[in-house]
Amino acid sequence: MSDLETRLPQLETEAMEALSRVQTSAEYETLRVQTLGKSAELTLASRSLGKAAPADRPRLGALINEVKRRVEGAFESRKSELQKAELDAKLLAEALDVTLPAPDISFGRRHPLTQTLDDIVRIFSNLGFSVVEGPEVENVYYNFDALNIGPDHPARFERDTLYVADDVVLRTETSSVQIRTMEARQPPVKIIAPGRVYRREAIDRTHLAMFNQVEGLCVAQGITFGDLKGTLSTFLSQLFEAAPGASTVQTRFRPHFFPFTEPSAEFDVFFNGKWLELGGCGLVHPKVLENVGYNPEEVTGFAFGFGIERMAMIKFGIEDLRLFYENDLRFLEQF
Ligand code: DAH
């Protein structure tokens, strides 16, 4: 028996053992080069065949081929095993485990001004008011003239009002929507009109150049100041939630002047031990009714207006108006 006939079975056994210990593709590749590469003993064995005795060559050649085929076969199947294992491991690592606790999802919430406006709309809707909107870029006629605000009224000065053109302003109050609504509808009218208003202001804790108001208007036959007081008191009681045991929060009406109402008043709420001024109101001025083609002998009405930011500041105890518009999550997350 030649050396080769002894050596070949040893080579095969060694290769198979080494292959069974291989755990990764990288180890596999190293072993493959060692065992089947150009300078591997098994490869060199075929080349040394020429040195064997001619009579032995066919037998030895066949033996080398058989060993090579078995070793190569073993390498192939080990390779697919490793690939499958590695793929499985990768899939497992990426797999969605539905039994794990869900990652923290932070839910958004409504901005405190939106919450306040939603409350306001809900309460007035229950009282039979519908919601209308008007343009923020407004004709001077709707913002001033039709509201009985005369040509010399200080509110019209450029010092206070942002003019877009000679007769066009960024509306300074939502009262303009009163006019637009009455022009478009016949009484009875019962609306609120929320929206942005603009003023030329130096910005500080209590002043912004843009803020939100809600206007209210109710016109029909026989509307009185009593209807106004009842409506606003009911609204304020619900918005500020009457104290336990009390059916209403305390409200107060103080005489005031507005060009578009007569008589006019400011209304206050008693909240956290203090009287707080909230907005203006009154009975719609006969001239305003005439301006929209209503007959003040047939119908009367009340109107009111207030700032949404101020309502929210009082309700939530916020002291700086600017916080509403800074979008600081540390502030917004508190509501
Ligand atoms: N428009 C007034 C303002 O911006 C608020 C106001 C007062 C509205 C009296 C009214 C009202 O409808 O009757 O200061």
Side-chain angles (χ1 to χ4, degrees):
M1 211 161 73
S2 75
D3 287 354
L4 213 49
E5 280 178 295
T6 327
R7 185 59 188 143
L8 281 170
Q10 286 172 358
L11 272 179
E12 182 174 352
T13 314
E14 282 167 25
M16 297 302 191
E17 273 174 19
L19 191 59
S20 68
R21 285 190 300 271
V22 157
Q23 295 301 334
T24 65
S25 299
E27 286 171 17
Y28 167 89
E29 195 50 29
T30 312
L31 185 66
R32 193 189 60 79
V33 173
Q34 273 172 18
T35 315
L36 296 166
K38 271 193 225 130
S39 46
E41 205 178 334
L42 195 56
T43 313
L44 297 176
S46 328
R47 295 199 195 141
S48 66
L49 209 54
K51 290 181 207 150
D56 293 339
R57 281 181 207 164
R59 190 167 37 86
L60 286 176
L63 181 59
I64 292 170
N65 283 340
E66 269 170 47
V67 171
K68 265 187 159 174
R69 194 168 29 78
R70 282 199 296 273
V71 172
E72 279 168 3
F75 268 82
E76 279 310 311
S77 57
R78 185 74 186 129
K79 183 176 171 183
S80 29
E81 273 172 33
L82 285 172
Q83 282 174 343
K84 184 176 179 307
E86 282 170 7
L87 183 64
D88 283 352
K90 189 161 167 251
L91 288 177
L92 194 64
E94 287 172 1
L96 176 65
D97 182 348
V98 295
T99 66
L100 287 173
D104 249 351
I105 298 170
S106 60
F107 286 96
R109 64 190 82 194
R110 289 174 303 152
H111 190 280
L113 288 180
T114 309
Q115 291 181 35
T116 306
L117 178 58
D118 287 352
D119 283 347
I120 293 167
V121 167
R122 177 179 46 77
I123 296 168
F124 278 113
S125 299
N126 289 342
L127 293 172
F129 287 77
S130 55
V131 179
V132 301
E133 285 183 347
E136 291 172 30
V137 179
E138 185 57 285
N139 296 323
V140 161
Y141 175 75
Y142 290 103
N143 199 82
F144 296 125
D145 299 297
L147 286 164
N148 200 32
I149 300 174
D152 301 320
H153 194 281
R156 297 178 85 124
F157 297 170
E158 282 193 39
R159 197 190 59 220
D160 299 317
T161 300
L162 294 155
Y163 278 82
V164 174
D166 278 352
D167 51 358
V168 182
V169 295
L170 295 185
R171 71 177 175 194
T172 58
E173 51 188 5
T174 45
S175 305
S176 53
V177 188
Q178 288 188 31
I179 306 300
R180 289 187 169 274
T181 307
M182 289 189 285
E183 278 188 351
R185 303 184 190 185
Q186 285 307 305
V189 166
K190 206 175 172 189
I191 55 106
I192 55 167
R196 294 189 189 88
V197 300
Y198 301 84
R199 290 181 192 178
R200 179 169 275 184
E201 292 278 7
I203 290 165
D204 62 23
R205 275 177 59 244
T206 51
H207 295 89
L208 292 177
M210 185 284 298
F211 60 101
N212 287 271
Q213 286 189 331
V214 173
E215 192 76 14
L217 175 70
C218 173
V219 183
Q221 278 180 8
I223 295 292
T224 67
F225 205 93
D227 297 312
L228 170 61
K229 284 182 84 171
T231 300
L232 283 180
S233 302
T234 305
F235 160 65
L236 294 171
S237 293
Q238 295 189 16
L239 187 68
F240 291 100
E241 285 151 19
S247 60
T248 56
V249 294
Q250 268 186 280
T251 52
R252 180 171 85 174
F253 294 78
R254 283 177 293 102
H256 200 78
F257 172 80
F258 295 103
F260 36 90
T261 42
E262 180 59 32
S264 304
E266 283 189 325
F267 59 97
D268 305 339
V269 68
F270 194 74
F271 193 69
N272 284 341
K274 275 182 289 193
W275 281 107
L276 300 165
E277 188 184 313
L278 291 182
C281 61
L283 291 185
V284 180
H285 198 293
K287 276 202 187 140
V288 172
L289 295 174
E290 279 168 8
N291 288 341
V292 298
Y294 285 8
N295 182 352
E297 301 297 325
E298 281 172 16
V299 290
T300 50
F302 66 75
F304 56 86
F306 55 82
I308 300 178
E309 284 81 355
R310 179 152 174 82
M311 291 283 179
M313 284 170 89
I314 293 171
K315 202 171 143 81
F316 294 121
I318 295 165
E319 295 195 334
D320 192 329
L321 192 50
R322 293 169 292 196
L323 287 166
F324 287 125
Y325 295 101
E326 283 170 355
N327 282 340
D328 187 334
L329 287 181
R330 289 169 302 179
F331 169 74
L332 295 174
E333 277 170 356
Q334 297 175 43
F335 306 97

